[in-house]
Amino acid sequence: MLVKAVLARAAVAAVRDAELVDAETLAAARSCLATGEFDLILLDLNLPDGNGLTLARELAGHGGPRPRVVAVTASVLPQDQKAALDAGCDDFLDKPYAAADLVATVARHLS
């Protein structure tokens, strides 16, 4: 809800006007991806049913066009950031993040 509130108030129109879809598990994310097209995924790495990097690897191995993927995690260790990028993530946003950093990251990947 916090992410939605921050993005809905963004000064950048592309961010503010983006349609947001929640998926709280890997299974829900896979279901959403199977039925729609997405430009960007904010991917938490610690999900109830597994590690978000599993989904990042699946998307990277799929071939063809795919959404941009930003890993969002509380871990700021260099090896974790490298693991996210190696799994196919396009960017990394560490928690806690400032609202401005979230908006800037989303704007960078939607443009």
Side-chain angles (χ1 to χ4, degrees):
M1 289 190 0
L2 180 59
V3 169
K4 284 184 173 185
V6 168
L7 297 181
R9 292 180 178 91
V12 180
V15 173
R16 185 179 58 247
D17 298 337
E19 181 182 341
L20 304 176
V21 175
D22 286 325
E24 295 184 14
T25 64
L26 287 173
R30 288 181 183 114
S31 178
C32 289
L33 288 164
T35 60
E37 292 185 24
F38 297 88
D39 297 316
L40 175 65
I41 297 173
L42 296 176
L43 184 61
D44 200 325
L45 300 189
N46 295 311
L47 297 168
D49 58 346
N51 187 308
L53 293 184
T54 301
L55 182 63
R57 283 185 202 92
E58 290 170 12
L59 291 169
H62 175 24
R66 67 168 183 83
R68 306 283 293 175
V69 179
V70 176
V72 182
T73 182
S75 177
V76 295
L77 297 173
Q79 62 266 29
D80 293 330
Q81 186 171 9
K82 182 180 180 327
L85 297 174
D86 288 348
C89 293
D90 300 294
D91 207 344
F92 189 90
L93 185 63
D94 55 330
K95 298 178 197 176
Y97 49 79
D101 292 336
L102 173 63
V103 170
T105 299
V106 171
R108 183 171 54 250
H109 291 287
L110 288 181
S111 61

